[in-house]
Amino acid sequence: MSIVAPLMRRAVEEAVFPYGEWMLFDRSGVLETGATEGEGGRWFDLASLTKLYTATAVLALASEQGISLENSAGELLGTTEGVLGRRLCEISLRALLTHTARLPAWYPFYADGRSFFEILAELPTGEAGMVYSDIGYMLLREVLCAVTGLTLQEIVRRYVSGPLGIEELCFHPDRALPLVPSCRDNAVEETMCRERGMDFDRFRPHFTDVIGEPNDGNAYYYFDSVSGHAGLFGTCKAVAGLGQFYLNTEDPAFLGAVTPQPGCAGRCLGFHTGGAFPTGCGHTGFTGTSLWIDREAGIGLAMLTNRLYYDHLPQADMNAFRREVHTALAKEFY
């Protein structure tokens, strides 16, 4: 009997999200897949799950080209002079992957309008410790592109989706695909900008279906929908494919992605522990997506929803629901 299906359908009834799909898997394959309506197989805005594919690309590139995670962004970008260079030379790849680069959590680059590095040079430096930062993964995009000479789309294909056989994943999805509406506007970011005293006149109109475009403002308005922190679209199959790789791998080059690092509040080099993940590790996306794996129990769950596709604020507590599902599965498989 399915554990996930009744919980997902109850969440729809309780307005946690309007639509969701899931794929439960173990080391050898898919155990269960489903959708709250219809047959499933639709494409979602993966939001911050993009970070897992970016992190995987960094680890693959480091393994292939012998780059150390202790190399600084300044070294790899060839920018070591001036205020920007000094700051970049203090930021290692490891710090970016674990959100310990002392960068702010968020900044509306699109409302500022200057170049990425011009703004980065002036952003305040935080205290030592873990601060979950979109900006760090934006910087990882710049590093990856500089080191390889490729676009981020090409990097994800070459270092992640190609080697892992993941097909249903891309930036800029074709509008002919079965796309799930991800949100109705950018009301959350409008509030965040207003709280910072910043204006932006190109936000999407309120109560408008957003389909095939990232919800995330920096990804959509500033990086043309292609960034290291957000922008990827994919199916449950594409997310489960990455999860199954990390459930099975014993390659030292990738084990750090699922192993908590010291001084990082449960952060691994990609995934994290705690919060919505009572066992194992995982990652979430703001649009209502998540990937959880438990290497000890030998299972994982890709759970994709469009929780932002409502006209009301605030949204329901998605993390509480995620934790409930993951706890129920862990009890079943331990």
Side-chain angles (χ1 to χ4, degrees):
M1 188 175 87
S2 171
I3 294 173
V4 182
L7 293 174
M8 293 286 284
R9 295 196 171 100
R10 189 202 74 200
V12 171
E13 293 171 1
E14 296 178 354
V16 178
F17 49 81
Y19 177 74
E21 298 186 22
W22 67 94
M23 185 172 285
L24 178 67
F25 53 91
D26 63 10
R27 290 189 172 92
S28 59
V30 177
L31 300 176
E32 175 192 333
T33 187
T36 57
E37 181 183 332
E39 297 182 359
R42 299 174 72 186
W43 289 62
F44 289 75
D45 175 357
L46 298 183
S48 281
L49 289 191
T50 301
K51 293 184 177 78
L52 288 179
Y53 297 89
T54 300
T56 303
V58 171
L59 297 176
L61 183 65
S63 176
E64 178 182 292
Q65 297 199 10
I67 296 170
S68 169
L69 296 185
E70 311 315 321
N71 284 146
S72 73
E75 293 174 85
L76 297 172
L77 288 165
T79 304
T80 58
E81 302 296 327
V83 174
L84 175 64
R86 288 192 294 273
R87 180 165 202 179
L88 291 175
C89 285
E90 294 175 352
I91 298 175
S92 68
L93 290 182
R94 183 181 301 279
L96 291 172
L97 291 171
T98 57
H99 299 276
T100 56
R102 301 175 68 181
L103 291 168
W106 180 82
Y107 182 82
F109 287 83
Y110 53 84
D112 186 306
R114 292 175 294 165
S115 72
F116 176 72
F117 287 109
E118 193 176 359
I119 298 170
L120 184 65
E122 294 185 4
L123 290 178
T125 300
E127 299 294 325
M130 197 286 292
V131 173
Y132 179 74
S133 174
D134 281 356
I135 299 168
Y137 274 73
M138 296 175 201
L139 179 53
L140 279 173
R141 164 195 142 128
E142 303 305 315
V143 171
L144 284 168
C145 293
V147 169
T148 63
L150 304 173
T151 66
L152 188 59
Q153 297 100 311
E154 293 168 333
I155 290 164
V156 170
R157 283 196 297 269
R158 175 171 174 176
Y159 291 99
V160 186
S161 60
L164 300 187
I166 297 173
E167 297 179 353
E168 298 172 352
L169 180 80
C170 69
F171 296 98
H172 292 295
D174 189 319
R175 297 305 177 90
L177 292 168
L179 294 161
V180 176
S182 60
C183 60
R184 294 277 285 158
D185 50 37
N186 283 117
V188 174
E189 289 198 30
E190 284 187 62
T191 300
M192 293 167 70
C193 283
R194 188 165 56 249
E195 290 172 347
R196 286 164 174 77
M198 300 181 73
D199 297 318
F200 184 67
D201 61 6
R202 292 192 291 116
F203 280 121
R204 295 163 172 130
H206 288 189
F207 316 127
T208 303
D209 287 6
V210 177
I211 303 174
E213 301 169 354
N215 163 262
D216 184 271
N218 279 315
Y220 179 61
Y221 300 113
Y222 194 76
F223 288 106
D224 189 29
S225 299
V226 182
S227 185
H229 76 291
L232 277 173
F233 282 73
T235 63
C236 263
K237 184 178 179 182
V239 176
L242 185 66
Q244 194 166 43
F245 166 72
Y246 279 111
L247 198 59
N248 281 295
T249 189
E250 296 299 335
D251 187 338
F254 295 98
L255 285 177
V258 294
T259 305
Q261 304 295 298
C264 300
R267 285 278 159 186
C268 313
L269 299 175
F271 291 82
H272 69 89
T273 60
F277 311 110
T279 65
C281 58
H283 208 291
T284 63
F286 186 64
T287 51
T289 59
S290 62
L291 173 61
W292 168 69
I293 63 168
D294 186 325
R295 283 169 59 90
E296 186 174 344
I299 58 166
L301 179 70
M303 184 163 60
L304 307 183
T305 78
N306 60 340
R307 76 175 186 99
L308 299 179
Y309 192 58
Y310 286 121
D311 290 340
H312 63 265
L313 289 173
Q315 290 87 21
D317 189 344
M318 187 69 194
N319 266 348
F321 173 72
R322 290 168 173 141
R323 186 174 181 85
E324 179 183 6
V325 175
H326 299 145
T327 298
L329 287 171
K331 287 180 179 178
E332 178 71 16
F333 283 88
Y334 268 97

